[in-house]
Amino acid sequence: MSVKMEEDDENKHRCFKFLLRILFSHIGLFLLVVGFSAFGAWLFVAIEKPAEDYRIEQRQIRTKEVNESINYLVALFWYWRGKNFSLVQWNEKVYTQLREFELYIVGSVNNVSYDGTYNSEEWDRDWTLSKSLLYAVTISSTIGYGHISPQTWLGKVATILYAIIAIPLLLVFLANIGDFMATSFRYVYSRLCCRWCRSRRKISEYLKKARAGARIPSVNEDVIGREEYMPTDRVVVPIVLNLLLISFYILLGSLMFSYWEEWDLVSAAYFTFITLSTIGFGDYVPGNSFMDYKQSTSSSLKMLACCLYVVFGMALVSMCINLMVEQLVEKAKWLGREIGLIKENPETDDDAQPLTA
């Protein structure tokens, strides 16, 4: 009986470890981030929509009152026109009423967002699913456009609790995917760019040793990661290449948002940089392309593409920064060796030069 219980416990432990392995894999973390963002979008809509509906109702009432006030003022002015008022008296009464009506309109705009339209279907709602999803993504990524914000106390508390979970979750995902992207990019760089450098060195060695009859192995015979010259596991990606990669990604986003949002290319590039750097001023917010995503499938795909572009863009920038830091550290170590501040260690330092092509 005890042996069976031990086997059951061991099977449960294996299942638990298997689930954790899946959950914290690249795909598992991605699905977890997507699912939690979707949950956040639904949660904020569920909390804030009733309060927004109430504000829209108050706005309809205020719009009706404004229209009635306009009709009243028109009738009042015609009534005064029939009286024996002098032009100065009539102007004074009219200007007094118009001034009061102006203050009433300003108060309506500030209090209930009055804009002169009565049809509620033409009003721009804050808490749609698309806007709420963008709000959830900007919370987890710490961008914070400020395009919408919770108005209820429950929404503010939910934002705090959501941020406490969502921000670390996204940071873990970015660290995980960023490390994977850095390893992959370093491997691709070593197999493509550094291969040419290895080939050139092989040729130079062949010219020197061919006369002696020595055999020079080809580059294809090198063991990946432990190559004799510029090993893959120690190669450093140049800073210029990282900057070109970031620039290309920003240019791609600029073209995409310039076409979708009808912005000029400079403004789209500015928005892309401000977003990927998590500065998030909020002076430019994506919306024209997918805020009413329920009307078409293409708008829904644009919304998802925008969120994915932001998340993977942050991972790409983080990856490039880490790779640039690696080369800066290697350059600093090399400079320290050259001027004698750092002593060379033959066990750990195979070459004094940074391994860049």
Side-chain angles (χ1 to χ4, degrees):
M1 187 69 178
S2 60
V3 175
K4 185 177 180 180
M5 292 179 63
E6 290 179 359
E7 291 179 353
D8 293 339
D9 293 339
E10 185 176 356
N11 291 332
K12 291 179 181 178
H13 183 66
R14 289 178 180 175
C15 292
F16 182 71
K17 290 177 63 177
F18 179 73
L19 291 175
L20 287 180
R21 191 178 298 112
I22 294 178
L23 185 63
F24 288 97
S25 64
H26 302 310
I27 299 178
L29 283 173
F30 173 73
L31 294 178
L32 192 60
V33 169
V34 171
F36 198 69
S37 298
F39 168 75
W42 170 83
L43 177 65
F44 291 121
V45 169
I47 292 176
E48 293 294 329
K49 193 173 183 300
E52 186 178 19
D53 290 339
Y54 174 77
R55 291 195 299 271
I56 288 178
E57 182 181 353
Q58 296 298 313
R59 185 176 174 184
Q60 287 177 322
I61 295 173
R62 182 62 63 87
T63 302
K64 184 178 179 181
E65 293 176 351
V66 170
N67 293 336
E68 291 176 351
S69 299
I70 293 174
N71 295 330
Y72 171 77
L73 288 177
V74 171
L76 183 62
F77 294 162
W78 278 108
Y79 173 76
W80 286 342
R81 187 68 180 270
K83 296 296 183 179
N84 294 325
F85 293 135
S86 64
L87 182 59
V88 175
Q89 291 176 328
W90 189 83
N91 287 338
E92 183 180 355
K93 288 181 175 293
V94 169
Y95 287 146
T96 300
Q97 292 296 322
L98 289 178
R99 174 61 64 180
E100 293 180 358
F101 184 69
E102 180 184 14
L103 296 176
Y104 180 68
I105 292 294
V106 171
S108 300
V109 172
N110 294 332
N111 296 330
V112 297
S113 301
Y114 170 78
D115 61 356
T117 59
Y118 183 75
N119 188 2
S120 60
E121 295 180 357
E122 299 179 2
W123 292 342
D124 186 21
R125 287 178 172 265
D126 290 336
W127 295 99
T128 60
L129 187 61
S130 56
K131 288 184 179 181
S132 184
L133 179 61
L134 184 62
Y135 175 72
V137 172
T138 56
I139 290 176
S140 57
S141 59
T142 67
I143 296 174
Y145 289 133
H147 60 299
I148 55 176
S149 58
Q151 302 298 316
T152 63
W153 68 268
L154 185 58
K156 295 174 181 178
V157 173
T159 298
I160 296 174
L161 297 178
Y162 178 83
I164 291 175
I165 301 175
I167 293 176
L169 178 62
L170 185 62
L171 290 177
V172 171
F173 170 74
L174 292 178
N176 186 281
I177 195 67
D179 182 67
F180 171 76
M181 292 171 62
T183 302
S184 301
F185 186 60
R186 190 184 295 110
Y187 175 82
V188 172
Y189 170 76
S190 175
R191 294 293 91 201
L192 295 180
C193 299
C194 297
R195 182 183 178 88
W196 182 84
C197 297
R198 297 189 190 102
S199 300
R200 298 301 299 176
R201 178 158 179 168
K202 291 288 184 182
I203 293 174
S204 64
E205 291 178 353
Y206 177 78
L207 294 175
K208 295 178 181 178
K209 299 180 180 180
R211 297 175 183 178
R215 178 182 178 273
I216 305 298
S218 66
V219 177
N220 295 329
E221 298 179 19
D222 290 344
V223 179
I224 297 177
R226 290 180 296 173
E227 294 90 347
E228 181 182 356
Y229 179 62
M230 301 186 73
T232 300
D233 55 359
R234 293 188 62 241
V235 72
V236 178
V237 182
I239 294 177
V240 175
L241 189 59
N242 287 288
L243 293 177
L244 288 176
L245 184 61
I246 294 176
S247 300
F248 174 78
Y249 196 79
I250 292 178
L251 177 61
L252 178 64
S254 302
L255 296 174
M256 181 175 67
F257 289 109
S258 177
Y259 177 73
W260 286 353
E261 301 293 331
E262 299 180 354
W263 295 336
D264 60 271
L265 194 60
V266 175
S267 298
Y270 164 79
F271 161 77
T272 304
F273 176 79
I274 292 299
T275 296
L276 296 182
S277 59
T278 70
I279 297 175
F281 287 132
D283 47 351
Y284 285 88
V285 178
N288 295 333
S289 57
F290 59 79
M291 284 309 183
D292 295 325
Y293 78 100
K294 61 183 179 181
Q295 297 179 0
S296 64
T297 305
S298 62
S299 298
S300 178
L301 295 177
K302 290 177 183 178
M303 174 191 66
L304 294 176
C306 176
C307 295
L308 292 177
Y309 176 85
V310 171
V311 173
F312 283 101
M314 293 176 60
L316 178 68
V317 172
S318 176
M319 176 201 77
C320 291
I321 291 176
N322 290 334
L323 292 176
M324 287 189 288
V325 168
E326 286 182 3
Q327 186 176 15
L328 290 175
V329 171
E330 290 292 336
K331 291 288 187 182
K333 289 181 178 178
W334 173 79
L335 180 61
R337 297 188 192 99
E338 290 295 316
I339 62 178
L341 293 178
I342 299 178
K343 295 182 179 179
E344 296 186 14
N345 187 352
E347 297 181 357
T348 58
D349 298 331
D350 298 331
D351 196 349
Q353 280 282 1
L355 301 179
T356 56

